[in-house]
Amino acid sequence: MRHRQFGVAVVGTGRMGTLRAGTAGAHPAVTFLAVSDRDKDKAAKVGTASKADLITGSNSEIIRDERVGAVIVSTSEPEHADAAIEALELGKPVLVEKPIALTLEDADRMIAASEKSGASLHVAYSLRFNRRYLVGKQQILDGKLGRIVGGMSRLYNTKAHGLQIIQRSTEATFVKDALTYLVDLYGWYLEGARPVEVIARSHGLVYRSLGHDADEVTWAIVTYSDGTIVNLGVGYALPANYPTHGRLVRVEVLGEKGVLFFDEDHKENIIHSEDGVANAYVGHKMETGFLTSNASGNWALGNFWGPLGEETRSWLDHIATGAPCPHTTAKEARTNLEVTTAIELAAETGETVRLAGGDNSR
């Protein structure tokens, strides 16, 4: 097996970029680390903490640096396409945060750039890297469920988290930013079947009362080409100080000879402190917290543990050695975007949406 060393550029130093820069800088295959952000002060702070070799306010500078062999795009969602395409056109493999883009046109441009240069493009759906879902995928591959016939899943989060998403990008809706995780998970589990039809409804009061045009609750029924029916829901309506640090997820997968049930509400690991517990995503303090509910993972003993760390290291291992990685491919991510776009359209119009290429064959 080859063992290649290379430089990494992390474009964008928000929450995800900060974590990925620290993880990438500690990887044994990474010999050079560069970070950038439009806010050069943010780049300087993250770059110093991660001991980056190059810190700048120019994304192009680090993408085009000859010492950089791979690029992580952790910008806000509307900026994914331009940074990723610039790297791909230079033949540099890219890991981009989910969703791949906010429009199918941008996703198609990114995929075309990857196919033209031959540089790989993967999309960071960190939910896949929770051990429970990796093990679940293996059970499906081992035939323990037989043919999957249906499923149900929901993702809840707090109003405080919801406001953070809206403030980061008004175009990053709860469906495209959060429900997309569940769309991706079922697409991964139903590998080979294509989503062909979407029915959806949404409703909201909370964010409109705060002046934002957003529904906090959306539910959808997605039908796949093999007849499988999946019910997916997202709700960003939990109280702002509810003791979670991230998303709360439940997943059910029903097969002809087996089932998978995942309960990820995190009530099994609780901390309560009179000093308060800081919410890693929002920043406010709570006396009680669900200790392992931070979706990306946690810092402990000088290292970052959890899905985002595993996801980043797995991708770097893939670049260094060619080892397979379970990351979402660009085409899978485009399908996720197609489904979430259809969910929003179905919820807005109240009509059934049939997806391009779907024939509803069973």
Side-chain angles (χ1 to χ4, degrees), residues 42-219:
K42 286 178 60 179
K45 181 178 179 181
V46 173
T48 300
S50 59
K51 299 179 181 179
D53 301 285
L54 174 60
I55 303 168
T56 178
S58 169
N59 294 342
S60 289
E61 181 181 351
I62 64 170
I63 291 171
R64 294 186 172 278
D65 194 293
E66 293 182 355
R67 294 166 291 183
V68 168
V71 176
I72 298 174
V73 177
S74 294
T75 63
S76 63
E77 292 86 348
E79 301 170 30
H80 284 179
D82 289 345
I85 289 170
E86 186 172 6
L88 292 165
E89 287 178 344
L90 293 170
K92 299 181 181 184
V94 170
L95 176 67
V96 62
E97 305 294 346
K98 62 79 199 158
I100 184 173
L102 293 179
T103 68
L104 293 172
E105 291 76 14
D106 276 350
D108 288 338
R109 290 197 300 123
M110 294 164 73
I111 292 170
S114 173
E115 291 178 342
K116 183 176 181 180
S117 70
S120 63
L121 173 59
H122 289 96
V123 183
Y125 278 88
S126 58
L127 190 71
R128 289 192 180 195
F129 286 82
N130 286 35
R131 187 177 69 180
R132 55 177 60 82
Y133 301 122
L134 287 165
V135 173
K137 174 65 173 180
Q138 188 62 55
Q139 303 312 301
I140 292 170
L141 291 174
D142 290 344
K144 301 298 184 183
L145 272 63
R147 178 177 165 180
I148 296 172
V149 298
M152 187 280 289
S153 185
R154 57 86 166 149
L155 183 155
Y156 290 160
N157 214 324
T158 68
K159 290 178 283 188
H161 281 74
L163 285 173
Q164 290 286 316
I165 293 172
I166 290 172
Q167 291 165 4
R168 184 180 74 238
S169 172
T170 56
E171 301 171 75
T173 63
F174 301 141
V175 171
K176 286 181 177 174
D177 185 86
L179 189 59
T180 186
Y181 280 113
L182 303 183
V183 173
D184 178 71
L185 185 66
Y186 278 99
W188 190 36
Y189 281 2
L190 291 166
E191 190 173 359
R194 178 172 176 78
V196 295
E197 181 185 272
V198 172
I199 301 169
R201 297 291 185 271
S202 62
H203 181 62
L205 301 173
V206 173
Y207 298 97
R208 287 191 172 82
S209 71
L210 298 172
H212 303 290
D213 185 19
D215 289 321
E216 55 263 22
V217 174
T218 301
W219 287 89

Side-chain angles (χ1 to χ4, degrees), residues 318-339:
H318 169 70
I319 302 301
T321 69
C325 62
H327 296 70
T328 304
T329 67
K331 289 185 176 180
E332 288 173 336
R334 187 199 186 279
T335 297
N336 295 341
L337 179 59
E338 185 181 10
V339 173

Side-chain angles (χ1 to χ4, degrees), residues 339-359:
V339 173
T340 53
T341 300
I343 289 172
E344 291 183 332
L345 179 61
E348 179 183 355
T349 64
E351 298 179 357
T352 299
V353 176
R354 294 187 181 275
L355 302 181
D359 59 7

